[in-house]
Amino acid sequence: MAQQSSSNRAPVGYDDTPLIHGSEWRVHDGTRPQPRIITPGTDSLQDTPGQPPSDAILLFDGSDLSHWIGRDGAAEWRVEDGYMEVTRTGNIETKAHFGDCQLHLEWAAPVDVKGDSQGRGNSGVFLMGKYEIQVLDGYDNPTYADGITSAIYGQYPPLVNACRKPGEWQTFDIFFTAPRFGGEKLISPAYITVVHNGVLVHNHRAVMGPTGHRRAPAYDEPHPARGPLVLQDHGDPVRYRNIWMRTL
Ligand code: MG
């Protein structure tokens, strides 16, 4: 497998955003060091999706979007050949709401590479609709470190860049602990662990608040103990398959 190049293209990011609390870096800082690029191991997932465990809640088995709703009611992403694809009809979210969970999903960036930085194969997985694990074609695609593939967006770059090539199926296994609130007060933050293509990229990160663009993260207000799983429509035809969850 060819390695991604480490060419010296111009950095992409911002120098006018707020400092991340407790960090020397600004939100989406263009000078924050990039995660090291590695080549993930191989698996048998390219032709066939994996098989969910017996106690998982199947959120998408390749056949229909019956567990999802869209911007205007029914989810309208395209379903074909066992996958769903973003169609510029808005984000979709699960009808069911979740708190602590183990989430598995498989996704592929468009094989037809268009755009660059945040404009290439962008989507996202939002736990509780608020905490984004970035989906992006991060293969040989420089962008700001806290916005690369599998970043906890605007907060933590992944430990390494374990991207596969555009068009290849990739896996996310996400272990999520919801934040706890007591009245108006935060008792404990959300914690996120992420495995990307079999490689640990976040190990029990304390999330600083809901993720956002150019915004200093903070738990400004309490939110319900459960929320929907949201998949982002960022305008790029990213595909998903084999989405399942185990509630914890
Ligand atoms: Mg995104």
Side-chain angles (χ1 to χ4, degrees):
M1 186 183 288
Q3 272 281 1
Q4 302 176 57
S5 74
S6 51
S7 54
N8 290 318
R9 280 173 279 201
V12 181
Y14 297 89
D15 60 9
D16 62 347
T17 44
L19 279 170
I20 296 173
H21 181 72
S23 162
E24 64 188 288
W25 308 110
R26 296 181 181 281
V27 175
H28 318 316
D29 199 318
T31 63
R32 190 169 183 172
Q34 295 290 319
R36 188 164 47 90
I37 293 167
I38 67 155
T39 302
T42 55
D43 56 36
S44 58
L45 288 174
Q46 292 308 316
D47 296 330
T48 316
Q51 195 66 32
S54 62
D55 64 346
I57 299 165
L58 300 186
L59 296 172
F60 178 65
D61 68 1
S63 58
D64 62 57
L65 297 176
S66 57
H67 293 284
W68 300 81
I69 52 178
R71 188 170 51 193
D72 304 313
E76 292 178 340
W77 290 13
R78 192 159 67 87
V79 177
E80 190 175 276
D81 294 338
Y83 60 80
M84 62 162 99
E85 184 176 285
V86 175
T87 54
R88 294 178 180 251
T89 54
N91 295 352
I92 63 172
E93 65 180 59
T94 53
K95 294 175 181 172
H97 287 197
F98 307 95
D100 299 355
C101 66
Q102 173 184 355
L103 172 68
H104 173 88
L105 53 83
E106 298 167 21
W107 60 272
V111 69
D112 184 15
V113 174
K114 283 186 184 150
D116 56 19
S117 185
Q118 295 292 298
R120 181 186 298 179
N122 194 334
S123 180
V125 177
F126 287 77
L127 284 308
M128 306 185 84
K130 295 180 181 299
Y131 305 97
E132 182 183 13
I133 309 302
Q134 175 71 306
V135 170
L136 189 82
D137 177 5
Y139 189 92
D140 200 12
N141 178 26
T143 190
Y144 44 83
D146 68 21
I148 194 68
T149 318
S150 83
I152 298 173
Y153 186 73
Q155 300 185 23
Y156 297 105
L159 294 169
V160 293
N161 175 342
C163 283
R164 293 200 170 112
K165 294 177 181 175
E168 294 184 351
W169 286 100
Q170 313 202 37
T171 57
F172 274 175
D173 288 280
I174 299 170
F175 309 91
F176 178 72
T177 304
R180 269 42 175 187
F181 298 94
E184 295 294 304
K185 195 166 159 287
L186 179 73
I187 293 173
S188 61
Y191 290 98
I192 297 182
T193 294
V194 180
V195 176
H196 179 201
N197 294 330
V199 176
L200 183 71
V201 291
H202 296 290
N203 187 8
H204 199 61
R205 296 279 198 198
V207 183
M208 301 172 196
T211 56
H213 185 56
R214 293 179 52 85
R215 199 158 51 75
Y219 291 96
D220 290 329
E221 47 189 44
H223 60 71
R226 292 167 191 273
L229 175 67
V230 175
L231 299 180
Q232 183 184 44
D233 180 345
H234 204 281
D236 301 327
V238 172
R239 296 174 179 177
Y240 290 91
R241 72 179 185 188
N242 190 27
I243 305 176
W244 54 260
M245 180 179 280
R246 297 177 62 251
T247 54
L248 303 175

